[in-house]
Amino acid sequence: MAKSVWFDLSVKFNSAHFSTSVFKCGRRWPISLSSWFKEYVHIPMGGSRTKSVRNTFITFACSGMWHGANFTYLIWGLINGLLVYVHKIFSKRAFKLPGIVKIIFTFIVIDFCWIFFRAASFNDAFYVITNSFVNLSFQSLKTVGVERHLWLIAIMMLVFMLTVEWITKEISVIGWWHTTRRRNRIVFLNVLLFLMLFFGVFEHRTFIYFQF
């Protein structure tokens, strides 16, 4: 959208879901915010040169509290700090895991952290964690007010978006746009318009970042 009106914005996300570690994921999502905390919080305290562990935990605690004055945000930040610290320890070991294993493991760990980020309280987060895989079935999913076909659509869209993210990781969309034929651009725009009309949410909603 910004490109269509000749604005060049800095990259905010860079295939974060395909990161092979929590450390790399933090650098890819969100890039602008993580860069700000690195330059104005982590480095002024000494960075990785002096008291690295302390600086890491304080930086991630601040990043958590930046999102809101709630204990769950603080926990979210501290867990991420702990994961980064653990990554630094084990990255020095000799053994290595396949890339796909590291990607899947990182994805699961990051999703676990999001529970605390989204929960209204620690008790809510604990309830979600302890009940996530209890009596799991399509019938139990109906209790949250979502029908089976909507869950299937959500899974299909998740696979689609991950595929798109993987493709854009290897191919520059902007470069493809400028080099491909006109008919390909027309087809792309029509598909994009169809997806917006079919899956778009058009009722009024408050911008999500206004709550932070």
Side-chain angles (χ1 to χ4, degrees):
M1 183 178 295
K3 286 286 186 181
S4 65
V5 290
W6 300 284
F7 277 100
D8 289 321
L9 301 179
S10 60
V11 178
K12 188 173 181 65
F13 304 101
N14 183 21
S15 301
H17 287 130
F18 292 102
S19 302
T20 55
S21 68
V22 177
F23 178 75
K24 292 181 179 178
C25 184
R27 288 193 166 188
R28 294 181 177 184
W29 181 12
I31 297 174
S32 56
L33 182 61
S34 60
S35 298
W36 189 93
F37 276 107
K38 176 184 177 182
E39 294 178 11
Y40 294 100
V41 179
H42 190 252
I43 293 179
M45 289 190 299
S48 300
R49 298 188 305 273
T50 59
K51 298 183 179 179
S52 175
V53 177
R54 183 206 65 178
N55 298 340
T56 298
F57 276 96
I58 291 178
T59 301
F60 276 95
C62 290
S63 69
M65 295 305 295
W66 177 88
H67 290 87
N70 194 326
F71 190 56
T72 54
Y73 290 122
L74 177 61
I75 295 176
W76 172 79
L78 291 175
I79 291 177
N80 277 276
L82 176 62
L83 292 172
V84 169
Y85 176 66
V86 171
H87 165 74
K88 289 182 178 180
I89 294 177
F90 283 95
S91 62
K92 299 177 182 179
R93 306 298 181 183
F95 67 89
K96 292 184 179 180
L97 295 174
I100 186 64
V101 174
K102 292 191 287 187
I103 290 174
I104 294 174
F105 178 75
T106 302
F107 183 82
I108 294 174
V109 169
I110 292 298
D111 282 354
F112 172 80
C113 294
W114 285 126
I115 296 175
F116 292 94
F117 186 91
R118 186 64 182 86
S121 65
F122 179 80
N123 289 334
D124 288 349
F126 183 75
Y127 177 83
V128 171
I129 294 171
T130 54
N131 291 274
S132 293
F133 301 100
V134 176
N135 298 324
L136 188 61
S137 66
F138 277 115
Q139 289 298 120
S140 64
L141 293 177
K142 287 185 178 181
T143 60
V144 297
V146 181
E147 298 296 330
R148 178 185 299 185
H149 72 281
L150 294 179
W151 281 105
L152 292 176
I153 291 176
I155 293 173
M156 291 172 58
M157 290 304 300
L158 176 62
V159 173
F160 172 75
M161 293 304 298
L162 288 174
T163 303
V164 170
E165 187 170 356
W166 181 266
I167 293 174
T168 55
K169 179 174 177 284
E170 304 294 332
I171 302 174
S172 171
V173 176
I174 301 300
W176 172 85
W177 179 265
H178 288 296
T179 56
T180 191
R181 295 180 178 181
R182 181 182 179 185
R183 65 182 181 184
N184 293 337
R185 293 198 295 266
I186 293 175
V187 171
F188 175 79
L189 290 175
N190 278 278
V191 171
L192 186 62
L193 179 61
F194 170 78
L195 292 174
M196 291 173 61
L197 293 175
F198 190 78
F199 295 105
V201 179
F202 299 101
E203 66 265 19
H204 174 72
R205 288 189 178 183
T206 304
F207 183 50
I208 186 172
Y209 278 101
F210 283 165
Q211 64 182 301
F212 300 135

